[in-house]
Amino acid sequence: MDRGNTKQEILEASLDLFSVQGFEATSVAQIATAVGIRKASLYGHFENKQAILDALVKDVLEQYGAHSIFAKAEWENCEDAADQPALTPNAAAQMILGQIRYILHDPHISKARKMLVVEQFRNPELAKLQTRQNYTDVLQYFTGLVKHLIRRGVLTGDDPEIMAAQLCLPISTWINLCDREPDREPEVMALVSRHIQQFFRVYQR
């Protein structure tokens, strides 16, 4: 096995362990055992466990930025936002449901999210990342979306941030439910679809 493949295997094994038992509770020896190498060999690829975590976070953020609608949209840029087609309730539901499926089923994103949940009360840096990934970025995206739809005359309302919170925060709760109870995903997807449809009925101009 060449150095590049071994390094990737270390990252994969580390993410598996961190997502179940957390960063602090996982030892370098456990990671090496999971990969099937000696601890000394692991140090040939990463200086320490923190370096592994840093590489994992960088990798996950890059993937998230490439695939997440929350990272791509620039609603505050009026010129770009004007080029976006007005969303129908059905189109909005399909867009959001597609993002939920990505969040739940992409193995790296799913495991990284679980790692952040485990570590959010132990690691200040991961706590900040958890807030950013699961609250700040999401609310910012939906606030921008709601403002865009109000500008386009699709929705009516005078407090876009509260409207965005009403739309997105229940969805975050349902995603957490799926993490704990994966067999409830069909139920959750149906709830999300109904929730989005009702949101548009309440606020549609």
Side-chain angles (χ1 to χ4, degrees):
M1 184 178 295
D2 63 52
R3 185 181 179 90
N5 287 341
T6 302
K7 188 169 186 176
Q8 188 59 40
E9 287 214 357
I10 291 169
L11 291 174
E12 297 282 349
S14 299
L15 185 57
D16 286 343
L17 290 166
F18 294 165
S19 67
V20 173
Q21 59 192 39
F23 171 75
E24 298 295 341
T26 300
S27 68
V28 171
Q30 286 177 306
I31 298 170
T33 299
V35 177
I37 61 176
R38 293 177 302 159
K39 188 163 70 168
S41 299
L42 186 147
Y43 285 121
H45 298 277
F46 293 97
E47 180 181 357
N48 50 39
K49 191 172 66 167
Q50 183 63 47
I52 296 174
L53 179 64
D54 292 343
L56 275 175
V57 169
K58 179 177 181 292
D59 183 53
V60 168
L61 287 178
E62 287 176 353
Q63 291 187 51
Y64 184 80
H67 298 98
S68 173
I69 61 173
F70 305 142
K72 288 181 176 181
E74 297 181 4
W75 300 114
E76 296 307 315
N77 186 322
C78 295
E79 184 177 345
D80 287 347
D83 292 336
Q84 298 287 335
L87 286 178
T88 65
N90 284 334
Q94 291 308 309
M95 178 186 72
I96 294 169
L97 288 171
Q99 179 68 12
I100 293 171
R101 290 187 187 98
Y102 162 68
I103 288 171
L104 290 176
H105 295 292
D106 182 276
H108 292 95
I109 298 300
S110 177
K111 290 173 186 176
R113 188 176 61 258
K114 292 171 185 175
M115 176 185 71
L116 293 178
V117 170
V118 172
E119 285 297 312
Q120 63 184 316
F121 301 111
R122 303 171 182 167
N123 185 311
E125 290 304 312
L126 292 184
K128 290 177 184 176
L129 184 58
Q130 163 77 339
T131 298
R132 173 187 158 190
Q133 295 291 101
N134 294 288
Y135 176 74
T136 308
D137 283 0
V138 175
L139 186 59
Q140 182 178 21
Y141 171 85
F142 279 99
T143 300
L145 173 61
V146 168
K147 287 179 178 178
H148 166 64
L149 293 176
I150 290 173
R151 286 195 302 267
R152 297 292 295 269
V154 177
L155 301 180
T156 181
D158 59 5
D159 196 332
E161 188 171 6
I162 292 300
M163 292 167 64
Q166 291 170 345
L167 177 58
C168 72
L169 296 185
I171 295 173
S172 295
T173 299
W174 284 321
I175 290 172
N176 291 336
L177 176 61
C178 284
D179 282 338
R180 293 190 300 274
E181 302 179 43
D183 59 322
R184 298 185 69 173
E185 182 178 336
E187 171 195 351
V188 163
M189 293 306 232
L191 283 169
V192 170
S193 183
R194 286 165 51 199
H195 171 65
I196 295 168
Q197 298 282 345
Q198 177 171 299
F199 176 84
F200 273 84
R201 283 196 299 270
V202 170
Y203 288 110
Q204 202 161 27
R205 187 178 295 277

